[in-house]
Amino acid sequence: MTTTALALVELGAVLFALGMLGRVAVHFGMSPIPLYLLGGLVFGHGGFIELHAAIEFGHVAGEIGVVLLLLLLGLEYTAAELVTGLRRSWAAGLFDLVANATPGVVVALLLGWGAVGAVTMGGVTYISSSGIVAKVLNDLGRLGNRETPVILSILVFEDLAMAVYLPILTTMLAGLSLLAGMKALAIALVTVTVVLVVALRYGRYVSALIDSPDNEVFLLKLLGAALLVAGAASSLNVSAAVGAFLLGIAISGSTAHEAAKLLEPLRDLFAAMFFVAFGLNTDPTAIPPVLGWAIALALITVATKVATGWWAASRQGIARMGRARAGAALVARGEFSIVIAGLAVGMTTVGKELAALASAYVLLMAVLGPVAARVVEPVIRFGLNRTRTEAI
């Protein structure tokens, strides 16, 4: 079989398998992310069958998947909503950062991974999966609930925190000096500020430049702009993902709505390849030694995320059930945690172990998140009814 034919067969098999895995996930009402990761583990380095062509394609497709994931997330917000959400959620955002990054930092230090490993794992355990959270809220019909703006405000804070965090992490991973790190952070902050100002004052011009009545032209301009901005951001030591997110914020109104509809199928395809590609590059034999740590982290950070949502919702005067729903909705980790771990894979000493721990952790949290969101109401009702019965 020729190289081209083999590549087509492998890619076809991977895509078909993704479709089957997605169907299983839909049937059980869960996120497909853990199944995609498992599929990558089975057919990647150290798996049952190593698909070389799929691994090569998956790397580029995965990068595009990250760009599309964050671009679509940015399209959901306007710059004004971002600024308002940041003002309202800064206290809850700081609580979220400390409570959920600390467990990852502590575990990395206990494992002897040093400062770089600690900063990396802190990011992995800190940030919730915006994609999974949005899907769960939509599936459960909670988008109009009173606690939903609180949830979205925390997610916005986390996304903006990533714009600061990722340049610091990439600088540390590259082994650059403190001066170079401060320069990268300054560039990132200036870039974020400029984009937000442009989005607030001149967003309509950005939308007009991208917009087109012809879907083909619209898609080409939109995808081209996203990749250009992502590449430019990456060259400035700002994450490509954050660059795409900021472009999404700059596009507003009906243009943003049409762009989201047009990009959703592409986003789903390339995002699936991103999770598979991460699994393909993770050695499954490295997971058992860190599985105990992953379970411990999962249990701790479920509690810290629930506490974050509960406290943030209570500050807005939301009732007990709404507080519980807010906390449970934030549990899931996914795309950003994998992006962060993916950056660290190239670390010469602990990259493989860290990737294995992150994979196991995200597998657990991507399953626990949607489950927690679904069962929180009956659990709280049972607890309230039992309390009333005991009182009588």
Side-chain angles (χ1 to χ4, degrees):
M1 188 179 293
T2 65
T3 303
T4 301
L6 180 62
L8 291 174
V9 168
E10 288 186 7
L11 290 173
V14 168
L15 292 175
F16 185 80
L18 288 179
M20 298 302 294
L21 291 172
R23 184 174 180 178
V24 171
V26 169
H27 178 74
F28 288 100
M30 61 180 286
S31 165
I33 289 175
L35 296 183
Y36 294 159
L37 284 170
L38 282 174
L41 290 171
V42 169
F43 296 108
H45 297 303
F48 293 113
I49 303 173
E50 192 166 338
L51 304 179
H52 297 283
I55 292 173
E56 291 175 10
F57 174 79
H59 177 70
V60 177
E63 291 294 325
I64 296 174
V66 174
V67 169
L68 291 179
L69 275 169
L70 274 295
L71 175 63
L72 265 290
L73 181 62
L75 289 171
E76 295 179 11
Y77 303 107
T78 65
E81 287 171 341
L82 265 182
V83 173
T84 301
L86 189 59
R87 286 174 181 165
R88 292 179 55 190
S89 66
W90 68 269
L94 289 177
F95 179 88
D96 178 30
L97 173 61
V98 174
N100 292 285
T102 300
V105 170
V106 171
V107 165
L109 292 176
L110 289 174
L111 291 171
W113 291 351
V116 177
V119 171
T120 304
M121 278 307 302
V124 170
T125 58
Y126 162 53
I127 189 163
S128 300
S129 169
S130 300
I132 296 177
V133 172
K135 181 171 175 51
V136 168
L137 291 176
N138 182 64
D139 291 347
L140 298 179
R142 296 180 185 169
L143 290 176
N145 283 17
R146 211 180 146 205
E147 75 275 2
T148 298
V150 175
I151 297 168
L152 295 179
S153 294
I154 292 174
L155 293 177
V156 167
F157 186 96
E158 291 182 350
D159 293 329
L160 288 177
M162 285 296 104
V164 176
Y165 167 82
L166 287 173
I168 295 174
L169 177 62
T170 52
T171 300
M172 294 180 70
L173 291 171
L176 300 179
S177 65
L178 178 63
L179 181 61
M182 295 300 293
K183 180 181 177 182
L185 179 58
I187 292 172
L189 292 175
V190 169
T191 302
V192 171
T193 303
V194 169
V195 171
L196 287 177
V197 170
V198 169
L200 278 168
R201 296 190 177 183
Y202 310 106
R204 63 185 182 277
Y205 298 113
V206 177
S207 299
L209 180 64
I210 298 294
D211 200 7
S212 173
D214 184 273
N215 281 347
E216 180 181 351
V217 175
F218 189 19
L219 179 60
L220 289 171
K221 290 201 294 183
L222 183 61
L223 189 55
L227 295 177
L228 281 171
V229 170
S234 184
S235 69
L236 293 172
N237 286 324
V238 179
S239 166
V242 172
F245 175 70
L246 294 173
L247 175 64
I249 293 169
I251 301 171
S252 59
S254 60
T255 305
H257 179 70
E258 291 302 317
K261 284 171 54 180
L262 200 60
L263 285 175
E264 277 180 2
L266 275 178
R267 186 269 316 269
D268 294 340
L269 170 63
F270 283 100
M273 286 302 302
F274 166 68
F275 293 114
V276 170
F278 186 84
L280 288 170
N281 287 289
T282 302
D283 187 350
T285 60
I287 289 180
V290 297
L291 186 57
W293 288 108
I295 293 172
L297 274 177
L299 293 175
I300 293 169
T301 54
V302 164
T304 52
K305 276 294 182 184
V306 170
T308 297
W310 184 284
W311 183 71
S314 68
R315 294 182 74 244
Q316 302 297 324
I318 295 171
R320 188 175 299 178
M321 184 66 78
R323 298 176 199 173
R325 286 196 298 259
L330 292 168
V331 166
R333 310 306 202 274
E335 59 275 7
F336 243 140
S337 295
I338 295 297
V339 170
I340 293 165
L343 292 173
V345 169
M347 292 168 61
T348 55
T349 52
V350 300
K352 290 184 179 179
E353 292 177 70
L354 198 151
L357 177 56
S359 293
Y361 174 74
V362 171
L363 278 169
L364 291 170
M365 300 303 284
V367 173
L368 287 173
V371 171
R374 288 176 184 275
V375 304
V376 64
E377 287 189 348
V379 168
I380 294 297
R381 286 197 186 97
F382 175 78
L384 290 174
N385 290 336
R386 187 171 180 178
T387 302
R388 287 169 187 159
T389 302
E390 291 176 352
I392 294 173

